Amino acid sequence: MFSTIYIEEEVLETSRVKKMLDRFPQVPRVVCERYGEVFNRKSQNFRLQKKAPALILAKKYGSKVLAAPDGYGYNDSRSYYFSHMLNCVYDCRYCFLQGMYSSANYVLFVNYEDFEEAIASKIEENSGGGVYYSGYDCDSLALEPVSDFCKHFVPLFGEYPNAELEIRTKSTQIRHLLEQPVIPNCVIAMSFTSHEAGARWEHKVPSIDKRLEALQKLQLAGWRVALRFEPLILDSLGLTPYENLFAQVFAKLDAKKIHSVSSGLFRMPIDFHKRIVKLYPDEELFARPTTTADGMIALKSEDESLQLAAIEKILFSHVSPQQYYRCG
Amino acid sequence: MIETLEKSLHGAGSTPVNIVVAHALEAKALIPMLHLQPFDTTSRFVQYGNSNNLHLIVSGIGRAAMEAAITDLSQQQANEEGQIRAWLNIGIAGHSQAPLGGAWLGNKITCQVSGVSAYPPQLIAHIDSGAVITVDEPERTYPEDAAYEMEAFSFFEQATKYSTAELVQVFKIISDNLENPIEKLDFKNVPNWIGLQQEQIILLISKMSSLVGEYNDSNRIPEVYRDLCSRMHLTVNQKLQLRRLCLRYKALGLESDLESVISLAGSHSKKVISQLSAQIDRVGKQ
């Protein structure tokens, strides 16, 4: 699963790290002083590293709960995100993480208690409220068997019923969620693109069927689930891929019980895009004509807003506009 | 399998790998193993190569010699097409207990003088890995569980200026330990110890070659770029624009259109670039 496990000296003797290491007796271990020595080094190639990523076990210092970027969330409450992990086990060609980090290795911050303290303190700062996103810099659930992320972070929100936790994922690792009592203010938000887009740009991601099956199990168990249809990459196939996707999704889930649905077009900070183009000069997606506005890059399309509106119209045949928001 | 890999190193394919050794005795075992011939060069460093692009340079002992050899070779191999090479340092080292002839790939290379460590990314499976410590004077007590040698850290720091860290690796073969101290090292055995690692060395070169090949393929600029650069005067900025445009045409599956667009634009560099730009904006829109 990992080519190497790097361990910061400071966390080497912690019981959590020892337990994690016990799972991988055959994987070579390398002790480092700080994770940045491995992760932030120059002259690394994200694309090559994706072939055999390493796991880095580290301690997170500094701010652990940050303000969510504009347009990330689904309501006007104060929104924050926290990242117990950097990078994702999946390999989606459109993902901004490829341009954000110089390394494709996974950094797992193991000082969960510090995160919990920071989250609790932020919730209290917000009079017990606020929305807290996990899964901005990683996929929250994909490494669950190793990280036990849900076991630790989800129950915390049970103590703060007015705060909301959104776990954004493409993973089907839901066992730990199903084993614990439902926390009504925890939302599991699953991301989808069309079959066609997935086949082309998503690698190692569980199939749409498998993800829907996981969502259905969660919904039946009483968990609140949400749908994130992003990034929408519009092309010559038109609306049919989305009609098909929505039909498949809403045939499986109880639309009325869905917490929220969002969609968002392909957008990325210009600098990230530049770096990704260097990594993937042969990728058709990044060779397409683009436009830039407010530091973000988008694919050039004359009728983008019309197409987005048409997709939303199809969505509204399944869910109410009140359940929907446009991302970004 | 190893026979197939071994054939591939001197077969029809390309093996853009530079092997750097400190000592001529280290080269001695590798020359027949990798089917290398003396490479004719004005460089002060002895070099070997084969028609398959595999190259070997003898740097001399110590950090400064290693840096100089890498700089020299990278200048010799400089190209404008963005094609890179993998770099592999093969050499002997000491360890307290490891058996003579044992070997591993460096996954952590520490400079003893500065205390700084580098971590070559480990993409190649099925080869043992371990720590390497670079010292300025031969180590006799081997206090850490690491291979002690004299060049690896400089090799990694210098070679990553010309390639990406995943393609810069260090492979150390144990030549001395507490039972067989460095003072009693019989250098005549060095080729034998390296020879013992033939399978691992060939596997390593073959995997590195495949990774660098993949990198270079994705960065391969259509031939027409070179033609244009030789045919018309282009500023540095125009070359960059043209390079990116050629790569975009290639990525969009429009490489064959490049010639016709260029011929319509004539021989003026600005016009060629604007024509290529306008055309790709029209065609590339989905």
Short mmCIF file of all heavy atoms in Angstrom, two decimals, chain A residues 6-30:
data_model
loop_
_atom_site.label_atom_id
_atom_site.label_comp_id
_atom_site.label_asym_id
_atom_site.label_seq_id
_atom_site.Cartn_x
_atom_site.Cartn_y
_atom_site.Cartn_z
N TYR A 6 7.62 7.11 6.32
CA TYR A 6 8.50 8.06 7.00
C TYR A 6 7.83 8.43 8.32
O TYR A 6 6.62 8.65 8.35
CB TYR A 6 8.70 9.32 6.15
CG TYR A 6 9.37 9.06 4.83
CD1 TYR A 6 8.63 8.82 3.68
CD2 TYR A 6 10.75 9.04 4.71
CE1 TYR A 6 9.23 8.56 2.46
CE2 TYR A 6 11.39 8.78 3.50
CZ TYR A 6 10.62 8.54 2.38
OH TYR A 6 11.23 8.29 1.17
N ILE A 7 8.64 8.50 9.36
CA ILE A 7 8.06 8.81 10.68
C ILE A 7 8.87 9.92 11.31
O ILE A 7 10.10 9.81 11.42
CB ILE A 7 8.10 7.57 11.61
CG1 ILE A 7 7.59 6.33 10.86
CG2 ILE A 7 7.29 7.81 12.87
CD1 ILE A 7 8.50 5.16 10.93
N GLU A 8 8.17 10.96 11.72
CA GLU A 8 8.86 12.02 12.45
C GLU A 8 9.33 11.46 13.79
O GLU A 8 8.56 10.77 14.48
CB GLU A 8 7.91 13.20 12.72
CG GLU A 8 7.79 14.16 11.57
CD GLU A 8 6.97 15.40 11.95
OE1 GLU A 8 6.48 15.48 13.10
OE2 GLU A 8 6.82 16.26 11.08
N GLU A 9 10.55 11.82 14.12
CA GLU A 9 11.16 11.34 15.37
C GLU A 9 10.23 11.58 16.57
O GLU A 9 10.09 10.74 17.45
CB GLU A 9 12.45 12.12 15.58
CG GLU A 9 13.59 11.30 16.09
CD GLU A 9 14.89 12.07 15.92
OE1 GLU A 9 15.13 12.99 16.72
OE2 GLU A 9 15.61 11.75 14.97
N GLU A 10 9.57 12.74 16.56
CA GLU A 10 8.76 13.15 17.70
C GLU A 10 7.55 12.24 17.96
O GLU A 10 7.08 12.14 19.09
CB GLU A 10 8.28 14.60 17.48
CG GLU A 10 7.79 15.24 18.73
CD GLU A 10 7.37 16.68 18.55
OE1 GLU A 10 7.66 17.28 17.49
OE2 GLU A 10 6.72 17.20 19.48
N VAL A 11 7.07 11.60 16.91
CA VAL A 11 5.87 10.76 17.10
C VAL A 11 6.19 9.26 17.05
O VAL A 11 5.30 8.42 17.20
CB VAL A 11 4.77 11.08 16.04
CG1 VAL A 11 4.32 12.52 16.17
CG2 VAL A 11 5.24 10.78 14.63
N LEU A 12 7.45 8.97 16.87
CA LEU A 12 7.88 7.58 16.68
C LEU A 12 7.43 6.64 17.80
O LEU A 12 7.04 5.50 17.55
CB LEU A 12 9.42 7.57 16.58
CG LEU A 12 10.12 6.28 16.22
CD1 LEU A 12 9.68 5.78 14.85
CD2 LEU A 12 11.64 6.49 16.19
N GLU A 13 7.45 7.13 19.03
CA GLU A 13 7.14 6.25 20.17
C GLU A 13 5.68 6.35 20.62
O GLU A 13 5.33 5.78 21.64
CB GLU A 13 8.07 6.59 21.34
CG GLU A 13 9.56 6.33 21.06
CD GLU A 13 9.85 4.88 20.67
OE1 GLU A 13 9.17 3.97 21.19
OE2 GLU A 13 10.73 4.67 19.82
N THR A 14 4.85 7.08 19.90
CA THR A 14 3.46 7.21 20.34
C THR A 14 2.69 5.91 20.04
O THR A 14 3.00 5.22 19.06
CB THR A 14 2.74 8.39 19.66
OG1 THR A 14 2.74 8.15 18.25
CG2 THR A 14 3.44 9.70 19.93
N SER A 15 1.71 5.62 20.85
CA SER A 15 1.00 4.35 20.67
C SER A 15 0.23 4.32 19.34
O SER A 15 0.12 3.28 18.70
CB SER A 15 0.05 4.11 21.84
OG SER A 15 -0.84 5.19 21.95
N ARG A 16 -0.26 5.49 18.93
CA ARG A 16 -1.01 5.53 17.66
C ARG A 16 -0.09 5.15 16.49
O ARG A 16 -0.47 4.37 15.61
CB ARG A 16 -1.60 6.93 17.45
CG ARG A 16 -2.47 7.04 16.21
CD ARG A 16 -3.32 8.29 16.20
NE ARG A 16 -4.28 8.27 17.27
CZ ARG A 16 -4.49 9.30 18.09
NH1 ARG A 16 -3.82 10.43 17.92
NH2 ARG A 16 -5.38 9.21 19.06
N VAL A 17 1.10 5.69 16.50
CA VAL A 17 2.05 5.40 15.42
C VAL A 17 2.47 3.93 15.48
O VAL A 17 2.52 3.24 14.45
CB VAL A 17 3.27 6.35 15.49
CG1 VAL A 17 4.44 5.83 14.66
CG2 VAL A 17 2.87 7.74 15.03
N LYS A 18 2.73 3.45 16.68
CA LYS A 18 3.13 2.05 16.81
C LYS A 18 2.06 1.12 16.25
O LYS A 18 2.36 0.15 15.56
CB LYS A 18 3.41 1.71 18.27
CG LYS A 18 4.77 2.24 18.74
CD LYS A 18 4.99 1.86 20.18
CE LYS A 18 6.35 2.36 20.64
NZ LYS A 18 6.51 2.26 22.08
N LYS A 19 0.81 1.45 16.54
CA LYS A 19 -0.31 0.64 16.05
C LYS A 19 -0.37 0.68 14.52
O LYS A 19 -0.60 -0.34 13.86
CB LYS A 19 -1.61 1.18 16.66
CG LYS A 19 -2.77 0.24 16.55
CD LYS A 19 -4.00 0.80 17.26
CE LYS A 19 -5.25 0.25 16.63
NZ LYS A 19 -6.42 1.08 16.86
N MET A 20 -0.17 1.88 13.98
CA MET A 20 -0.21 2.02 12.52
C MET A 20 0.93 1.22 11.89
O MET A 20 0.74 0.53 10.88
CB MET A 20 -0.09 3.49 12.12
CG MET A 20 -1.35 4.29 12.36
SD MET A 20 -1.06 6.04 12.04
CE MET A 20 -2.64 6.73 12.54
N LEU A 21 2.11 1.31 12.48
CA LEU A 21 3.27 0.61 11.92
C LEU A 21 3.09 -0.90 11.98
O LEU A 21 3.54 -1.61 11.08
CB LEU A 21 4.54 1.03 12.65
CG LEU A 21 5.00 2.48 12.43
CD1 LEU A 21 6.21 2.80 13.29
CD2 LEU A 21 5.32 2.75 10.97
N ASP A 22 2.42 -1.36 13.03
CA ASP A 22 2.19 -2.80 13.16
C ASP A 22 1.41 -3.38 11.98
O ASP A 22 1.51 -4.56 11.68
CB ASP A 22 1.41 -3.10 14.45
CG ASP A 22 2.33 -3.03 15.66
OD1 ASP A 22 3.56 -2.99 15.46
OD2 ASP A 22 1.82 -3.00 16.80
N ARG A 23 0.63 -2.53 11.36
CA ARG A 23 -0.16 -2.99 10.20
C ARG A 23 0.71 -3.26 8.97
O ARG A 23 0.29 -3.94 8.05
CB ARG A 23 -1.21 -1.94 9.81
CG ARG A 23 -2.39 -1.84 10.74
CD ARG A 23 -3.33 -0.77 10.21
NE ARG A 23 -3.83 -1.10 8.87
CZ ARG A 23 -5.01 -1.63 8.63
NH1 ARG A 23 -5.82 -1.89 9.62
NH2 ARG A 23 -5.38 -1.88 7.38
N PHE A 24 1.88 -2.65 8.95
CA PHE A 24 2.71 -2.74 7.74
C PHE A 24 4.14 -3.18 8.08
O PHE A 24 5.09 -2.42 7.88
CB PHE A 24 2.73 -1.38 7.02
CG PHE A 24 1.37 -0.85 6.70
CD1 PHE A 24 0.79 0.12 7.50
CD2 PHE A 24 0.66 -1.36 5.63
CE1 PHE A 24 -0.49 0.60 7.22
CE2 PHE A 24 -0.62 -0.90 5.35
CZ PHE A 24 -1.20 0.08 6.14
N PRO A 25 4.27 -4.40 8.58
CA PRO A 25 5.61 -4.83 9.00
C PRO A 25 6.62 -4.91 7.85
O PRO A 25 7.82 -4.82 8.08
CB PRO A 25 5.36 -6.21 9.61
CG PRO A 25 4.06 -6.67 9.06
CD PRO A 25 3.26 -5.45 8.78
N GLN A 26 6.14 -5.08 6.64
CA GLN A 26 7.07 -5.27 5.51
C GLN A 26 7.51 -3.96 4.87
O GLN A 26 8.42 -3.95 4.03
CB GLN A 26 6.38 -6.12 4.41
CG GLN A 26 5.85 -7.45 4.87
CD GLN A 26 6.94 -8.34 5.45
OE1 GLN A 26 8.08 -8.31 4.99
NE2 GLN A 26 6.60 -9.10 6.49
N VAL A 27 6.84 -2.87 5.21
CA VAL A 27 7.15 -1.61 4.51
C VAL A 27 8.38 -0.95 5.14
O VAL A 27 8.44 -0.79 6.36
CB VAL A 27 5.93 -0.65 4.56
CG1 VAL A 27 6.25 0.67 3.87
CG2 VAL A 27 4.71 -1.30 3.93
N PRO A 28 9.38 -0.58 4.32
CA PRO A 28 10.57 0.07 4.88
C PRO A 28 10.21 1.34 5.65
O PRO A 28 9.33 2.10 5.24
CB PRO A 28 11.41 0.42 3.65
CG PRO A 28 10.90 -0.45 2.57
CD PRO A 28 9.46 -0.73 2.86
N ARG A 29 10.89 1.54 6.80
CA ARG A 29 10.61 2.71 7.64
C ARG A 29 11.83 3.64 7.65
O ARG A 29 12.96 3.16 7.74
CB ARG A 29 10.31 2.28 9.06
CG ARG A 29 9.08 1.41 9.13
CD ARG A 29 8.97 0.74 10.48
NE ARG A 29 7.89 -0.25 10.42
CZ ARG A 29 7.52 -0.99 11.44
NH1 ARG A 29 8.12 -0.85 12.60
NH2 ARG A 29 6.54 -1.86 11.31
N VAL A 30 11.55 4.91 7.59
CA VAL A 30 12.64 5.89 7.62
C VAL A 30 12.26 6.96 8.63
O VAL A 30 11.18 7.54 8.55
CB VAL A 30 12.83 6.53 6.22
CG1 VAL A 30 13.95 7.56 6.27
CG2 VAL A 30 13.13 5.48 5.17
#
